[in-house]
């Protein structure tokens, strides 16, 4: 089983985009990786989420990524790896832009 260090690799963090119905699944997965919320609070998957973008940091913390940070063209965020969660857990490391193209071809 993976842990958060394997997810991040050499990067400070990676970002995930989830579908609205995947909140509990994502949180359960993150908790199984050994993650906690920023601030140290335990992840409680059954509570679900209100956001679609998340960060998993190399220190094992999970945080929401707001829409502005996700879409802004800022040097601070341009090298952050971004993945589509539903594909990532299948072993396909595809980013949101590529996923949209692949989905439209099906």
């Amino acid at each position: 089983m993976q842990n958060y260090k394997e997810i991040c690799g050499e990067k400070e963090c990676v970002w995930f985009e989830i579908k609205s119905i995947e909140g509990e699944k994502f949180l359960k997965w993150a908790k199984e990786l050994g993650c906690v919320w920023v601030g140290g609070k335990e992840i409680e998957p059954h509570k679900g989420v209100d956001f679609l973008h998340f960060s998993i940091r190399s220190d094992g913390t999970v945080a929401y990524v707001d829409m502005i940070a996700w879409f802004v063209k800022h040097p601070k965020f341009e090298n952050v790896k971004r993945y589509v969660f539903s594909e990532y857990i299948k072993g396909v490391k595809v980013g949101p832009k590529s996923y949209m193209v692949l989905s439209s071809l099906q």
Side-chain angles (χ1 to χ4, degrees), residues 5-102:
K5 291 180 183 180
E6 293 170 317
I7 301 297
C8 293
E10 297 296 317
K11 301 287 185 182
E12 181 180 334
C13 69
V14 294
W15 289 358
F16 289 92
E17 180 174 78
I18 69 167
K19 296 174 185 168
S20 58
I21 61 171
E22 295 177 320
E24 188 172 337
K25 185 176 184 176
F26 175 81
L27 292 179
K28 182 179 181 207
W29 176 74
K31 185 174 182 172
E32 289 171 355
L33 293 173
C35 294
V36 295
W37 286 110
V38 169
K41 188 173 180 182
E42 181 181 350
I43 294 172
E44 298 180 54
H46 66 278
K47 289 188 175 182
V49 296
D50 296 326
F51 288 80
L52 300 176
H53 300 108
F54 294 86
S55 170
I56 293 182
R57 301 184 58 81
S58 61
D59 65 0
T61 56
V62 173
Y64 295 118
V65 175
D66 69 38
M67 295 295 277
I68 293 172
W70 184 269
F71 289 108
V72 72
K73 301 290 186 208
H74 189 281
K76 180 177 180 180
F77 305 124
E78 69 184 356
N79 292 320
V80 174
K81 290 285 187 184
R82 300 161 198 237
Y83 299 111
V84 175
F85 174 68
S86 60
E87 295 299 311
Y88 188 90
I89 59 172
K90 293 186 228 175
V92 181
K93 294 182 178 181
V94 63
K97 289 180 185 176
S98 299
Y99 179 73
M100 290 178 72
V101 171
L102 292 174

